[in-house]
Amino acid sequence: MQFFLDTANLDQIREVGELGLLDGVTTNPTLMSREGGDWRKQAALICEMVDGPVSLEVIGTSHEEMIKEAKDLVSFGTNVVVKIPMIPEGLKALRELTERGIKTNVTLVFSPTQALLAAKLGATYVSPFVGRLDGLSQSGMEGVDQMRTLFDNYAFGTKILVASVRHPLHVLEAGLIGADVITLPYSTITQLMHHPLTDQGLAKFLADWEAFQKGE
Ligand code: E4P
């Protein structure tokens, strides 16, 4: 399973990159606006820093606007994946971008049948938002499981990129289902690394060793 980082923050990208756990990055207008400053400069820096796919999202809501923006976004780097919202105009744009050989990530996917449409039109990735569904008492992961079955039944090459992740259990469930990619907020990567028993265990090992060295 590939790990993408769901952020536009350069420090977070650098840190996870140094851990060797960074396979790519996903951004969205909210994440980009959180960083402030010149988004074009920020996007270019992210693309340069990341040795893997970087999703940059369009803002337009008509397919003409999306295509125009996509042409601009791909100029930021060869690793750019154009993020398109799962709306009818987005599907029109998706079809054209697929024909042009531009990599795409269909975002704001909330049902397996939306994912099916995106896959039929050649999306590179679909992003089911599991956390937002869970927040409405609907199982986000159940939909991901159904997507996996649909894609496998018809041998679609579209990758399932689990998004809107809230906690480590989402990572476990996505992995058991066989999702191709999961995009993680920095906080979840941190949670994944820690376990109280690891910290307690290490503290005890070090204390025992210190006592042994002192001959106690
Ligand atoms: C995915 O690409 C999105 O950027 C992201 O995962 C959305 O998550 P949220 O529900 O935390 O905003």
Side-chain angles (χ1 to χ4, degrees):
M1 178 168 48
Q2 288 197 308
F3 276 12
F4 289 1
L5 193 61
D6 202 21
T7 191
N9 182 280
L10 300 182
D11 291 335
Q12 292 180 357
I13 293 171
R14 192 172 300 111
E15 208 176 305
V16 179
E18 282 170 5
L19 286 170
L21 289 170
L22 188 74
D23 295 313
V25 162
T26 51
T27 67
N28 63 38
T30 305
L31 294 172
M32 209 51 116
S33 65
R34 230 175 249 166
E35 299 308 310
D38 178 354
W39 75 266
R40 298 185 68 87
K41 216 167 150 187
Q42 192 76 5
L45 284 170
I46 296 171
C47 292
E48 201 182 299
M49 275 176 80
V50 179
D51 185 17
V54 175
S55 289
L56 300 177
E57 188 161 345
V58 298
I59 306 296
T61 49
S62 72
H63 78 277
E64 292 92 347
E65 287 169 323
M66 291 185 215
I67 297 290
K68 194 166 164 231
E69 280 181 64
K71 286 182 191 159
D72 177 38
L73 291 176
V74 293
S75 72
F76 285 103
T78 51
N79 51 349
V80 170
V81 175
V82 178
K83 224 171 169 188
I84 300 280
M86 177 57 229
I87 57 175
E89 285 294 302
L91 292 180
K92 279 193 212 167
L94 171 61
R95 184 179 174 196
E96 196 170 326
L97 294 174
T98 301
E99 280 167 8
R100 288 170 185 257
I102 292 175
K103 292 204 167 72
T104 49
N105 174 357
V106 176
T107 189
L108 292 166
V109 169
F110 290 95
S111 74
T113 42
Q114 283 182 319
L116 180 60
L117 299 183
K120 277 179 73 66
L121 294 172
T124 315
Y125 300 95
V126 287
S127 289
F129 276 36
V130 295
R132 293 194 194 185
L133 275 176
D134 288 358
L136 294 178
S137 305
Q138 290 179 34
S139 168
M141 234 15 113
E142 202 177 300
V144 173
D145 197 20
Q146 290 169 341
M147 281 171 212
R148 180 75 281 156
T149 304
L150 281 173
F151 287 13
D152 290 349
N153 281 351
Y154 298 99
F156 284 120
T158 300
K159 293 189 167 123
I160 301 175
L161 194 173
V162 174
S164 185
V165 168
R166 298 283 180 261
H167 45 67
L169 193 54
H170 278 150
V171 182
L172 175 65
E173 290 167 341
L176 292 175
I177 288 168
D180 303 283
V181 190
I182 188 158
T183 188
L184 302 165
Y186 178 79
S187 57
T188 308
I189 297 241
T190 308
Q191 283 178 301
L192 283 171
M193 285 187 283
H194 293 288
H195 196 290
L197 291 179
T198 304
D199 298 340
Q200 281 172 33
L202 181 61
K204 175 85 169 89
F205 284 157
L206 295 180
D208 288 348
W209 188 252
E210 203 184 326
F212 169 64
Q213 293 299 301
K214 286 181 183 161
E216 287 168 4

